[in-house]
Amino acid sequence: MKPKFLYFFFFIISINCTKPTNSDAFIENVTGRYLYDSDQVIEVYFKDKVLLLTWKGIKDIKPMKFDDDIFFVKEMNEKITFKTNPQDQKEYLVLLPKEEGAEITFNFKKLEKNELTPSEYLANDNFEEALAGYIAIQQKDSLNIAVNENEMNAIGYYHLGRNEIPKAINVLKINAVLHPKSDNVFDSLGEAYLKSGDTLQAIVNYKKALAIDSGNRRAKNVVEKFDKK
């Protein structure tokens, strides 16, 4: 048997001989939700003491166990482990460095029991917490997709199209706070208010759009239409 095949054979044997279950203490310590990419989570949970993940909408991902606390996640093409960050004493899901001897980065912090991401707060109609979360993301990374003006506008129009007008207004209000120099966000907010029947707030926001860009034709047409009445 050639050495490389022999190595592969013993590698497979070693994996298969690893106990798939995990200790009660380990399960209690690592079960939870870990913040991934600012506004997404990796959920870590167990079934029959076997570690499973939900990530990017994929449920029941079953990592391959290498050691007591080291796993390989083929969907990520990463080895992961769980460690306490000495700087903040918080638990993290950690991607193990691919290069031997490289410094460990504490990648994904475990969320508190009732802590949600901004998009989750938004889904639950908790707009104040959602706004605070989005502002924090923007302050840290203004180019993050979670606070992208067009993406947020699309969410607002999604709810507007479903006739979920109060939710659409709140989403577009968040976008206006995040992007106060954009005529488009106030134009969209004006449209949502107009659809709600609140003409006064619609005009207020269309005028804000015109103050930013006097060439905004839709805003100008709406304002002129109601000024004539």
Side-chain angles (χ1 to χ4, degrees):
M1 185 179 289
K2 294 182 179 180
K4 64 179 181 179
F5 291 111
L6 186 63
Y7 173 80
F8 181 73
F9 173 77
F10 282 115
F11 173 78
I12 294 298
I13 292 296
S14 67
I15 294 300
N16 288 336
C17 288
T18 304
K19 293 182 179 179
T21 58
N22 298 277
S23 70
D24 292 339
F26 178 78
I27 291 171
E28 183 178 359
N29 189 49
V30 307
T31 295
R33 291 157 26 93
Y34 295 77
L35 185 61
Y36 176 82
D37 193 24
S38 300
D39 195 35
Q40 300 182 60
V41 297
I42 301 173
E43 186 177 355
V44 176
Y45 52 102
F46 294 80
K47 291 182 180 179
D48 298 324
K49 294 193 174 184
V50 175
L51 183 143
L52 299 171
L53 309 177
T54 291
W55 175 66
K56 289 190 172 182
I58 308 172
K59 297 181 179 180
D60 292 343
I61 295 172
K62 185 178 178 181
M64 182 183 295
K65 186 172 181 178
F66 275 81
D67 204 341
D68 285 345
D69 60 355
I70 298 176
F71 303 82
F72 176 72
V73 185
K74 66 178 181 179
E75 289 79 1
M76 296 179 175
N77 193 30
E78 298 281 359
K79 274 187 180 181
I80 67 169
T81 190
F82 300 87
K83 289 186 177 294
T84 302
N85 187 336
Q87 293 187 349
D88 60 10
Q89 296 301 310
K90 302 290 186 181
E91 295 298 318
Y92 282 74
L93 188 156
V94 174
L95 305 182
L96 290 174
K98 291 183 170 62
E99 297 181 7
E100 187 176 350
E103 186 176 350
I104 287 177
T105 300
F106 290 89
N107 308 95
F108 311 125
K109 183 172 70 172
K110 188 176 182 180
L111 296 173
E112 299 296 333
K113 187 175 181 180
N114 297 317
E115 186 177 359
L116 301 177
T117 66
S119 62
E120 289 172 331
Y121 282 123
L122 197 59
N124 292 340
D125 295 336
N126 190 334
F127 297 104
E128 289 186 7
E129 290 287 355
L131 176 59
Y134 284 124
I135 289 174
I137 291 173
Q138 188 182 58
Q139 289 174 343
K140 188 176 181 180
D141 177 13
S142 62
L143 298 180
N144 192 297
I145 189 67
V147 292
N148 179 271
E149 176 190 335
N150 293 331
E151 292 291 329
M152 188 70 72
N153 217 49
I155 295 171
Y157 273 101
Y158 168 79
H159 292 295
L160 203 60
R162 292 168 60 90
N163 211 35
E164 298 167 351
I165 298 174
K167 192 156 195 170
I169 288 173
N170 280 302
V171 171
L172 295 170
K173 283 170 69 176
I174 288 174
N175 208 21
V177 173
L178 295 175
H179 304 282
K181 295 181 179 180
S182 169
D183 66 300
N184 186 57
V185 299
F186 291 106
D187 182 291
S188 299
L189 185 53
E191 183 179 345
Y193 274 119
L194 199 60
K195 192 170 182 178
S196 76
D198 190 341
T199 304
L200 179 61
Q201 281 301 315
I203 297 304
V204 166
N205 283 280
Y206 277 123
K207 285 184 176 180
K208 286 181 180 179
L210 283 174
I212 296 168
D213 180 7
S214 60
N216 188 315
R217 289 186 178 182
R218 183 169 65 174
K220 187 175 183 180
N221 289 339
V222 173
V223 170
E224 288 179 348
K225 176 182 175 181
F226 283 96
D227 280 346
K228 290 178 181 178
K229 292 184 178 182

